[in-house]
Amino acid sequence: MKLIGKIFILSIGILLLASCQIKAQTTYYLDAENGSDSNKGTSKSQPWKTLFQISSTVLKPGDVVKFKKGSRFNGHFVVNGSGSKKKPIVIGSYASGELPILSGEVGEEKGGDYQEAVLILNNDNIIVENIEIQNNRLNSKQGVRDQDAYGIYVLNNGNKSLENFVFRNIIFKNIYAALPVLKEKGENAFNGLEVSALRFFSTRNTKKSIKNIKNTLIENCHFSNLQRLGVHIKHAGGVSEVGTDKTNSNVDFVLRDNEFHNTGGTCILPIRTYNCLIEKNIFDRPGDNSDPRMANRGSSVWTWRCHNTIIQYNDCLHIRGYLDSHGVHIDHENVNTFIQYNYMEDCEGGFVEILGGNKNSVYRFNISVNDGWRENLKWKTSNHTLWINEVVPKGKHRADGNYIYNNTIYIDNPYATSIDIDGKNNFIYNNIFTGINGAKIGAKQVLVKNNDTPLFMKNNLYEGQINIRFKSLDSNPIDGSTHFTNPKAGNKYGFQLKANSSAINNGVAKLGPPIPGAGKGIFKNISKYPTVDFYGNPVDLAKGTPNIGACNAKK
């Protein structure tokens, strides 16, 4: 009897273990039109109907949530549970047709529109894919600021780090707050407007709570018609003497192969990230004002107090705005920011923007076409070819280690730009400055302050109308003709060099700073120093005679 009893108990244990394993992975189906919350919800033939029902369900590692294509779900989806690294929770869609829409819009009669369509609060190991997110808030809701609106909101206000998120193949559109905040309201109102399609926020670290959000991939998503921000990544930092630069930041974010169209502000705004890779995205009309509720001020990417950021192989097109609004700009107090291999065209504010307190800011192997044409009546020199500024939120803190090299800057429209530099240890070399057909680079202002540090300005190529006060700072200026292959082609490929270009073999061999962490982690496919030019031609800046500009082709 004892042996039989043991076998019986063992058998029951195996059955219970098998049962737990089966229950650990459940697929839930939702159909907004034909579903019912009284259904089981675990089959296509018995789908649930509302976001309330799935929000009330505790999700476990390996669970899958599927929304039926062609349906619209208005309400509030609170993701109730975490996955594991090997068994993430997956949120997606099923059936055929248009992607299912999730929106926080429920109207005044249902208590007002929600702050976000999807909330992920203190949960992690989650994949979200193949859905559409909207949240055009028109109605106030008690407990929600009227100037707030998000599509998906990942919030960490707990006591541990959250990790392992993937957001892919998602459409984000029509994200607006109930109360527009327009430029007439001033700088504080603008800074308080954090409307975003996809938001990550870690609250401030204390001695009892060290936390952040780690290991996130955002890829193949489409963002359009947004009041201000596309992706907002923010950490509130730490109280005095708590944490490190890394623990007080959100860590290891990759944003790749996304498209952003008509955002009222910046497409990607990282605030306190540590290791961030932004590559192969299309940024079209950040800073837009096609909707009067839009902020009308942005850049493609705008970094603030970030460490180790690489922004590469992006198209930055038609940036607009009354302030900032450069192709990519480095805001306050970042460390190790590398802007490389980007194509920038028709950016209202200009090409280079480096603000106060930054360290090791690098623009290299970029192509800038017809950038910096803004006319701001309150600030006559607001359009810049190069701008390095010393101002920070409180006082002045000069950027130190500013590297601008091997870029191609081309303007063939009749306007004048400014060159305004106030920093430390400025390096400007191997750049092409072309100003033709009435373009006047630096004609509005040339102001260069090196603040008792060396200026390394050498072997830049000057073609057309360039302010002599700027050119005279060059210890070895190159006068000549660029002979681009086809600058009127209207794309990035027209700025390669013909064999008779004065840019060929006229550069100086000089390395800028190395990329920290190159070859490891999210930077595993990135070299410490440039090994290719904008077009993929090999380049070696440590020796020899590299070309001037972004193209290193020799013939």
Side-chain angles (χ1 to χ4, degrees):
M1 290 295 293
K2 289 183 179 180
L3 179 61
I4 293 172
K6 288 180 179 180
I7 294 173
F8 176 77
I9 292 170
L10 180 61
S11 299
I12 292 296
I14 292 171
L15 288 172
L16 287 172
L17 179 61
S19 175
C20 289
Q21 288 175 340
I22 291 170
K23 289 183 179 179
Q25 185 167 334
T26 304
T27 300
Y28 299 96
Y29 296 88
L30 288 94
D31 181 342
E33 296 181 2
N34 300 309
S36 171
D37 287 351
S38 62
N39 288 339
K40 292 183 177 180
T42 54
S43 68
K44 294 180 182 178
S45 61
Q46 289 274 307
W48 286 332
K49 184 179 182 68
T50 69
L51 296 178
F52 175 81
Q53 186 69 13
I54 189 62
S55 298
S56 303
T57 302
V58 177
L59 302 176
K60 299 177 180 179
D63 283 354
V64 178
V65 179
K66 292 189 174 184
F67 297 93
K68 188 174 183 180
K69 291 182 178 179
S71 292
R72 182 183 178 99
F73 299 85
N74 289 337
H76 196 219
F77 178 22
V78 180
V79 180
N80 189 5
S82 289
S84 66
K85 188 173 183 179
K86 292 185 178 180
K87 291 185 176 182
I89 291 170
V90 179
I91 299 166
S93 56
Y94 73 102
S96 59
E98 299 292 326
L99 292 180
I101 298 171
L102 277 67
S103 174
E105 305 162 39
V106 295
E108 184 178 7
E109 68 280 2
K110 293 185 178 181
D113 301 324
Y114 285 95
Q115 178 179 258
E116 63 280 314
V118 179
L119 175 63
I120 301 174
L121 174 62
N122 299 329
N123 288 308
D124 61 3
N125 290 286
I126 294 168
I127 297 172
V128 184
E129 60 188 359
N130 301 317
I131 60 174
E132 180 172 323
I133 298 293
Q134 299 188 25
N135 198 19
N136 186 6
R137 295 189 64 221
L138 299 176
N139 301 279
S140 299
K141 186 175 185 65
Q142 187 174 2
V144 178
R145 295 196 326 157
D146 280 348
Q147 57 267 52
D148 286 346
Y150 315 118
I152 297 177
Y153 186 10
V154 181
L155 173 60
N156 186 352
N157 64 3
N159 295 312
K160 65 176 184 178
S161 294
L162 305 178
E163 57 187 349
N164 303 326
F165 295 93
V166 176
F167 299 88
R168 62 186 172 213
N169 302 324
I170 303 173
I171 294 174
F172 294 90
K173 63 191 296 186
N174 304 336
I175 313 292
Y176 286 89
L179 177 66
V181 178
L182 306 179
K183 61 184 178 183
E184 290 80 10
K185 299 291 185 179
E187 187 74 6
N188 289 337
F190 172 80
N191 290 331
L193 178 66
E194 297 188 344
V195 174
S196 44
L198 177 55
R199 187 181 200 236
F200 303 85
F201 182 46
S202 298
T203 57
R204 180 162 294 193
N205 286 336
T206 65
K207 291 181 179 180
K208 295 182 179 179
S209 174
I210 302 292
K211 60 189 174 298
N212 53 21
I213 299 170
K214 302 190 291 187
N215 192 24
T216 297
L217 172 64
I218 303 160
E219 65 177 352
N220 295 314
C221 293
H222 191 281
F223 300 78
S224 64
N225 191 27
L226 309 175
Q227 184 174 6
R228 186 181 175 198
L229 304 170
V231 180
H232 191 197
I233 309 162
K234 183 177 180 179
H235 196 297
V239 299
S240 179
E241 299 182 359
V242 167
T244 65
D245 289 331
K246 189 171 184 178
T247 60
N248 290 335
S249 301
N250 294 317
V251 180
D252 290 342
F253 272 69
V254 177
L255 301 97
R256 178 186 295 133
D257 292 319
N258 303 289
E259 289 193 25
F260 298 79
H261 299 273
N262 301 94
T263 59
T266 295
C267 299
I268 300 173
L269 176 57
I271 295 179
R272 291 194 180 93
T273 57
Y274 196 101
N275 297 345
C276 184
L277 175 60
I278 300 170
E279 64 178 2
K280 301 178 182 178
N281 303 284
I282 295 174
F283 303 115
D284 179 25
R285 288 190 186 278
D288 192 24
N289 65 349
S290 57
D291 188 300
R293 296 174 293 175
M294 288 177 167
N296 186 213
R297 174 182 169 189
S299 298
S300 297
V301 182
W302 175 332
T303 60
W304 197 85
R305 289 187 175 172
C306 298
H307 285 70
N308 310 332
T309 308
I310 301 175
I311 304 163
Q312 63 177 13
Y313 297 110
N314 302 287
D315 288 347
C316 308
L317 310 172
H318 315 301
I319 284 76
R320 298 291 183 264
Y322 59 95
L323 289 174
D324 299 301
S325 305
H326 289 54
V328 174
H329 97 247
I330 306 172
D331 212 89
H332 299 128
E333 297 177 340
N334 300 276
V335 179
N336 299 325
T337 309
F338 295 82
I339 299 170
Q340 58 185 20
Y341 307 118
N342 300 285
Y343 178 72
M344 307 179 189
E345 181 180 354
D346 187 32
C347 304
E348 184 171 357
F351 171 41
V352 168
E353 179 179 354
I354 302 170
L355 299 186
N358 289 289
K359 185 174 182 179
N360 286 348
S361 302
V362 181
Y363 284 76
R364 64 187 181 198
F365 292 100
N366 302 287
I367 296 176
S368 167
V369 179
N370 288 325
D371 293 333
W373 49 267
R374 174 171 54 211
E375 291 292 338
N376 187 329
L377 297 178
K378 295 182 180 180
W379 181 18
K380 293 183 179 179
T381 58
S382 74
N383 55 319
H384 293 89
T385 296
L386 307 178
W387 184 31
I388 301 173
N389 185 287
E390 78 286 4
V391 177
V392 291
K394 294 182 179 180
K396 295 182 179 182
H397 183 189
R398 288 183 173 86
D400 193 348
N402 306 296
Y403 296 82
I404 302 165
Y405 62 92
N406 284 97
N407 300 286
T408 295
I409 298 119
Y410 177 90
I411 302 176
D412 67 355
N413 284 337
Y415 57 84
T417 68
S418 304
I419 294 173
D420 191 351
I421 296 173
D422 190 348
K424 294 182 176 181
N425 294 300
N426 301 308
F427 299 81
I428 304 170
Y429 58 94
N430 294 356
N431 301 287
I432 292 174
F433 294 94
T434 296
I436 58 175
N437 297 334
K440 299 177 182 179
I441 295 176
K444 277 192 172 182
Q445 173 173 281
V446 170
L447 178 63
V448 178
K449 295 181 180 180
N450 299 296
N451 300 292
D452 300 319
T453 63
L455 169 66
F456 185 94
M457 183 167 167
K458 189 175 183 180
N459 288 66
N460 297 287
L461 173 60
Y462 304 92
E463 179 182 40
Q465 297 193 62
I466 318 295
N467 193 319
I468 190 61
R469 287 181 293 161
F470 180 63
K471 183 178 174 182
S472 65
L473 298 173
D474 197 317
S475 63
N476 187 35
I478 308 296
D479 290 305
S481 299
T482 50
H483 292 295
F484 295 122
T485 53
N486 188 7
K488 292 294 185 181
N491 58 52
K492 66 187 77 174
Y493 301 104
F495 296 91
Q496 299 176 78
L497 301 176
K498 295 179 181 178
N500 59 342
S501 174
S502 301
I504 294 176
N505 293 327
N506 267 325
V508 60
K510 184 173 180 60
L511 289 171
I515 293 177
K520 301 176 183 178
I522 65 170
F523 301 147
K524 64 182 179 180
N525 296 319
I526 295 174
S527 59
K528 184 180 292 188
Y529 297 101
T531 59
V532 296
D533 70 358
F534 182 93
Y535 297 102
N537 300 303
V539 66
D540 185 353
L541 290 174
K543 60 184 179 181
T545 53
N547 290 359
I548 299 174
C551 177
N552 201 55
K554 299 299 184 179
K555 59 181 180 178

